Amino acid sequence: MSNAKKIALITGANKGIGFEIARQLGEQGIAVLIGARDQARGEEAAEKLRADGLDARFVQLDVTDQRTIDAAVSAIEKGYGKLDVLVNNAAISLPEARTAPSTLPIDALRKIYDTNVFGVFAVTQAMLPLLRKSDAGRIVNMSSHVGILSVLADPNSQMPSYVKAILAYNSSKTAVNAITVAFANELRETSIKVNAVSPGYVATDLNGHSGWLTPEQGAKVPVKYATLPADGPTGGFFDENGVVAW
Ligand code: NAP
């Protein structure tokens, strides 16, 4: 297989923003691997993109299950020998965790961290050897404005106080930002760039479709940072308007 064709893995790509990221990367001629924990949902999503003429394949990947992560590494190694783009997109928010710290069940906090934080770390660490084989590896971590400590700590910020109170999901995204900086620092002397992005407030299952952007619009920022040129940034946090405060 030619090393020229780019390969991208998107976790949680069977629906929502992840599916649209896969579509938009596929439209740029990149072979997209639809990471999904459920085989039927993943196959169906890949089939939809193939029906539109894109090079899309399902890869089973539950970001909380190291065995599926290791199996995905082996499958990508065997099929392509490298990985050019990793988008850590999979995340959850639980109804019982949309509450202030004093009433947050610790099990809900653990579950959210398992997917949103440890999942990002585990997939990134496991995929790094394949990303190192790319000429220009790109890692994009899906973060959010609700993870910005400077906004959460400001009593006068525009963010509603009930949103600021949500410890579990918000702090999972703060941790994603920290993971982004840590990997970017370790990889600074390589051609791999690692950035966090906020897609904006997007109507998906995650928020009961309350967002004002479409998944197609929300995919634009992650796709931009997944396809950065060689002189692009690393270790940053970005939204549609550019640099975001930590
Ligand atoms: P979504 O529609 O709920 O999609 C989430 C995806 O993650 C689904 O494909 C889901 O798969 C998958 N997933 C969940 N747990 C997984 C696991 N253990 N292993 C593998 N896949 C798993 O949510 P979304 O709004 O598109 O969110 C995508 C990303 O954007 C998330 O990181 C989210 O935090 C971030 N984000 C979203 C917004 C927004 O306004 N929507 C704003 C800021 C940031 P299943 O179908 O199997 O559940």
Side-chain angles (χ1 to χ4, degrees):
M1 169 147 324
S2 148
N3 202 43
K5 175 120 185 176
K6 286 200 181 295
I7 317 295
L9 169 67
I10 303 99
T11 67
N14 54 286
K15 67 176 183 182
I17 304 169
F19 179 70
E20 284 302 324
I21 294 170
R23 181 194 293 283
Q24 290 175 26
L25 290 174
E27 285 169 351
Q28 296 192 26
I30 297 171
V32 288
L33 303 175
I34 304 291
R37 57 182 164 176
D38 180 87
Q39 177 160 5
R41 290 196 288 267
E43 294 277 20
E44 193 187 335
E47 183 49 48
K48 260 192 218 160
L49 296 183
R50 281 198 297 273
D52 290 342
L54 306 181
D55 185 351
R57 241 171 265 194
F58 160 66
V59 172
Q60 209 208 344
L61 182 51
D62 180 334
V63 304
T64 65
D65 181 349
Q66 190 67 42
R67 280 171 315 167
T68 70
I69 297 172
D70 294 341
V73 170
S74 299
I76 298 168
E77 169 78 60
K78 204 164 151 222
Y80 307 96
K82 65 155 186 172
L83 184 66
D84 299 288
V85 174
L86 169 64
V87 183
N88 285 307
N89 168 78
I92 57 167
S93 160
L94 299 170
E96 65 270 28
R98 275 179 225 127
T99 176
S102 59
T103 51
L104 171 64
I106 191 164
D107 282 350
L109 179 64
R110 284 205 174 98
K111 264 192 203 153
I112 287 185
Y113 271 49
D114 230 9
T115 304
N116 299 11
V117 180
F118 303 133
V120 171
F121 171 75
V123 173
T124 303
Q125 192 183 59
M127 294 294 162
L128 257 190
L130 286 167
L131 285 155
R132 287 184 190 274
K133 292 185 185 162
S134 166
D135 298 337
R138 302 287 179 262
I139 300 172
V140 177
N141 294 330
M142 295 294 277
S143 186
S144 169
H145 279 77
V146 300
I148 303 172
L149 290 176
S150 54
V151 172
L152 294 170
D154 177 1
N156 300 316
S157 74
Q158 302 270 307
M159 195 177 284
S161 52
Y162 75 91
V163 176
K164 283 185 192 168
I166 298 172
L167 170 70
Y169 180 82
N170 295 0
S171 65
S172 77
K173 293 302 181 181
T174 312
V176 164
N177 289 349
I179 289 170
T180 303
V181 172
F183 274 108
N185 283 341
E186 182 180 351
L187 297 167
R188 209 170 280 280
E189 303 310 321
T190 75
S191 59
I192 301 174
K193 296 183 187 302
V194 193
N195 290 294
V197 299
S198 177
Y201 190 31
V202 182
T204 65
D205 287 350
L206 190 84
N207 51 33
H209 294 262
S210 57
W212 47 72
L213 298 175
T214 63
E216 196 182 340
Q217 292 170 318
K220 292 215 178 322
V221 181
V223 165
K224 176 177 170 185
Y225 287 87
T227 53
L228 279 178
D231 62 353
T234 189
F237 182 21
F238 304 94
D239 69 5
E240 61 185 337
N241 299 314
V243 174
V244 180
W246 296 110

